């Protein structure tokens, strides 16, 4: 299927699973960038932004985030320095960033990194923003992230969905947060009422089949509701895949010790799986290799073909 068409003022830099997509909304005197990728790819984000088909040599006037996870806000600090642009985050995330709560932001808690930055503005659910010559309504989408927002342009049927909706599913939901799963359901029900022609997701290319994506998201949600331990297993698999992507490779010999050292694996294992660190390592590698999320290369785990 051909790529869905977007207004000329809306430019999407499609990234990968380490860095979320960067969305450039062009308007004279008010160029906005939504989401900035992972910190170790911040230079790459800047280079892509400078490509004439995106920002080129124009100024950037605002950096905004759909939510404050490391793969969406990792370029904030660098880009704010380069462009002197203010940074706007959802109001529900602002205090976590101001206090640099590395547990709630899933940073050292999950072996992820981000350069600290200053929040200069807050984005509010229900507010309407004029970006790229279009009107975007900010809609609260708690679930994957309890403070997340998506941006909906009714006139053009565009939805900048962050990790609340992808073509195949949505971002991990944390089972230790009791509100997260019910919130995911209300979020999907709210999104289902929108009139969406093109979804610009946090990961993966923009797509037109909104109804199909909603169907797949609800089916994933039902699987989690039927068996909440699935969520915990999914969290650990996604986190380890991310770490292998972020580091490029992880030594196999120290994986069990690594899983015992990083809080999210240790705590989730104790609470939901109750395996020895060695057995957890074995299970994760087997599952992720089967899904081609990672690959064994000699003494190391490296990103798999499905991550390319
Ligand atoms: Zn996220």
């Amino acid at each position: 299927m051909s790529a869905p068409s977007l207004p000329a003022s809306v430019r999407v830099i499609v990234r990968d699973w380490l860095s979320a997509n960067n969305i450039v909304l062009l308007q004279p005197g008010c160029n906005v960038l939504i989401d900035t990728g992972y910190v170790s790819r911040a230079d790459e984000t800047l280079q892509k932004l400078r490509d004439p088909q995106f920002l080129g040599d124009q100024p950037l006037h605002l950096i905004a985030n759909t939510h404050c996870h490391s793969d969406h806000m990792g370029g904030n600090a660098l880009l704010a320095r380069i462009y002197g642009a203010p940074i706007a985050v959802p109001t529900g995330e602002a205090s976590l960033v101001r206090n640099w709560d590395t547990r709630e932001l899933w940073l050292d808690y999950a072996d992820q990194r981000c350069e600290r930055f200053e929040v200069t503005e807050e984005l509010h659910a229900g507010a309407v923003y004029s970006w790229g010559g279009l009107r975007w309504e900010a809609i609260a989408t708690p679930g994957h992230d309890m403070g997340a927002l998506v941006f909906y342009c009714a006139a053009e049927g565009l939805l900048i969905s962050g990790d609340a909706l992808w073509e195949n599913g949505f971002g991990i939901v944390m089972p230790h947060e009791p509100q997260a799963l019910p919130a995911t359901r209300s979020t999907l029900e709210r999104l289902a009422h929108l009139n969406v022609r093109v979804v610009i997701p946090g990961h993966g290319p923009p797509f037109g089949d909104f109804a199909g994506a909603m169907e797949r998201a609800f089916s994933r949600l039902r699987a989690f509701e039927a068996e909440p331990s699935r969520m915990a297993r999914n969290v650990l698999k996604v986190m380890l895949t991310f770490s292998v992507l972020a580091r490029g490779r992880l030594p196999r010999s120290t994986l069990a010790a690594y899983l015992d050292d990083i809080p999210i694996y240790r705590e989730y294992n104790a609470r939901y799986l109750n395996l020895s660190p060695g057995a957890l390592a074995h299970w994760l590698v087997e599952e992720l290799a089967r899904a081609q999320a990672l690959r064994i290369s000699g003494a190391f785990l490296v990103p798999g073909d499905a991550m390319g």
Side-chain angles (χ1 to χ4, degrees):
M1 205 161 59
S2 64
S5 66
L6 291 169
S9 62
V10 178
R11 313 278 172 99
V12 183
I13 308 176
V14 176
R15 303 295 292 275
D16 51 27
W17 289 98
L18 181 60
S19 284
N21 293 339
N22 318 124
I23 299 127
V24 183
L25 302 169
L26 295 170
Q27 181 179 319
C30 181
N31 294 324
V32 178
L33 172 66
I34 298 180
D35 289 343
T36 62
Y38 193 61
V39 65
S40 61
R41 299 290 189 274
D43 285 329
E44 186 184 310
T45 303
L46 176 63
Q47 289 316 314
K48 287 179 183 290
L49 205 53
R50 282 177 166 161
D51 184 300
Q53 63 172 317
F54 300 114
L55 195 59
D57 54 8
Q58 299 184 64
L60 179 64
H61 302 91
L62 179 68
I63 296 163
N65 294 119
T66 54
H67 63 295
C68 292
H69 285 158
S70 67
D71 52 332
H72 294 254
M73 62 177 181
N76 284 13
L78 175 76
L79 297 175
R81 263 198 309 279
I82 299 276
Y83 289 102
I87 298 173
V89 305
T91 192
E93 312 269 74
S95 66
L96 299 180
V97 175
R98 290 201 173 102
N99 299 328
W100 209 241
D101 184 334
T102 58
R103 183 185 171 94
E104 286 297 317
L105 292 169
W106 303 359
L107 294 176
D108 56 355
Y109 177 59
D111 187 33
Q112 298 182 11
R113 294 186 298 118
C114 185
E115 185 182 349
R116 191 168 181 171
F117 60 89
E118 292 295 321
V119 172
T120 34
E121 294 177 22
E122 296 184 18
L123 302 166
H124 302 274
V128 174
Y129 299 97
S130 292
W131 294 334
L134 301 166
R135 288 165 56 82
W136 300 86
E137 184 193 348
I139 299 173
T141 50
H144 163 70
D145 180 299
M146 295 306 282
L149 295 174
V150 298
F151 303 106
Y152 173 57
C153 170
E156 292 282 342
L158 306 178
L159 181 68
I160 296 172
S161 64
D163 290 346
L165 180 70
W166 297 333
E167 191 161 12
N168 282 298
F170 43 78
I172 53 170
V173 178
M174 303 292 248
H176 73 260
E177 163 65 70
Q179 291 309 311
L181 195 57
T184 304
R185 172 164 284 284
S186 337
T187 283
L188 290 179
E189 284 167 354
R190 193 171 312 124
L191 295 182
H193 286 105
L194 303 178
N195 200 349
V196 176
R197 182 178 63 84
V198 184
V199 179
I200 304 170
H203 302 270
F207 60 89
D209 183 14
F210 177 63
M214 290 305 303
E215 213 167 278
R216 289 185 289 275
F218 273 113
S219 133
R220 186 169 186 76
L221 173 71
R222 283 192 297 273
F224 284 158
E225 288 170 337
E227 194 193 344
S229 63
R230 258 179 108 117
M231 266 188 293
R233 297 197 297 270
N234 183 244
V235 166
L236 296 188
K237 287 192 275 188
V238 168
M239 289 297 185
L240 185 60
T241 303
F242 190 88
S243 288
V244 172
L245 272 176
R247 288 166 172 257
R249 62 184 200 178
L250 270 183
R252 292 167 64 198
S253 61
T254 54
L255 180 62
Y258 173 84
L259 297 174
D260 204 34
D261 184 45
I262 304 300
I264 191 167
Y265 301 102
R266 191 176 60 238
E267 291 176 15
Y268 267 54
N269 185 28
R271 188 158 170 179
Y272 301 103
L273 296 165
N274 213 9
L275 299 170
S276 70
L280 177 64
H282 182 81
W283 171 74
L284 276 167
V285 170
E286 208 162 68
E287 288 274 316
L288 293 174
R290 185 165 40 227
Q292 298 188 329
L294 59 75
R295 191 162 59 74
I296 293 171
S297 173
F300 296 95
L301 301 173
V302 299
D305 294 340
M307 293 294 112

